[in-house]
Amino acid sequence: IVWSNPERFSVWSGALATASDVVFYGTLEGYLKAVDAQSGRELYRFKTASGIIGNVNTYKHNNKQYISILSGVGGWAGIGMAIPSLENDSDGLGAVGAYRALSSWTNLGGILSVFSL
């Protein structure tokens, strides 16, 4: 391990490393983060409308590079938020207990955010 950046909740987004030594990833709280690949130092963060569980993507159009991310917490982490009647920590195969605090940090939903580099 060269460096590590602990997050409040588990990171489900995976990571995207660019040729310019910038690594992008998303958090369940809804932040898209850019960090230096060599040191892990945070370079940029953007708060999206919802938690991020999808992968960060990059593409080029008209000689310009873009980064895109779909935010919308769901799956196992979103069970407690999506089904309010689940209240016990063991409900939703334990998701309610594991991610009880997530609703204080993000919302359900889905938005595509695109950034130019």
Side-chain angles (χ1 to χ4, degrees), residues 68-79:
S68 64
I69 187 68
L70 182 61
S71 61
V73 71
W76 189 68
I79 289 174

Side-chain angles (χ1 to χ4, degrees), residues 86-107:
L86 299 179
E87 296 177 356
N88 298 317
D89 284 352
S90 60
D91 288 348
L93 299 175
V96 172
Y99 292 100
R100 179 175 303 285
L102 188 57
S103 63
S104 298
W105 295 93
T106 193
N107 302 298

Side-chain angles (χ1 to χ4, degrees), residues 3 7 30 45 49 63 76 81 99 102 117:
W3 53 265
E7 295 292 342
R45 75 166 53 186
N63 253 1
W76 189 68
M81 293 174 63
Y99 292 100
L102 188 57
L117 298 182

Side-chain angles (χ1 to χ4, degrees), residues 26-109:
T27 69
L28 281 178
E29 299 104 298
Y31 286 102
L32 172 67
K33 294 186 176 184
V35 299
D36 179 89
Q38 301 303 314
S39 67
R41 181 177 60 89
E42 188 174 300
L43 304 171
Y44 177 79
R45 75 166 53 186
F46 178 84
K47 179 75 163 104
T48 66
S50 182
I52 298 171
I53 61 174
N55 291 313
V56 183
N57 294 281
T58 186
Y59 60 94
K60 197 173 195 179
H61 179 69
N62 289 339
N63 253 1
K64 188 161 195 111
Q65 184 177 8
Y66 296 88
I67 298 291
S68 64
I69 187 68
L70 182 61
S71 61
V73 71
W76 189 68
I79 289 174
M81 293 174 63
I83 308 171
S85 62
L86 299 179
E87 296 177 356
N88 298 317
D89 284 352
S90 60
D91 288 348
L93 299 175
V96 172
Y99 292 100
R100 179 175 303 285
L102 188 57
S103 63
S104 298
W105 295 93
T106 193
N107 302 298
L108 291 172

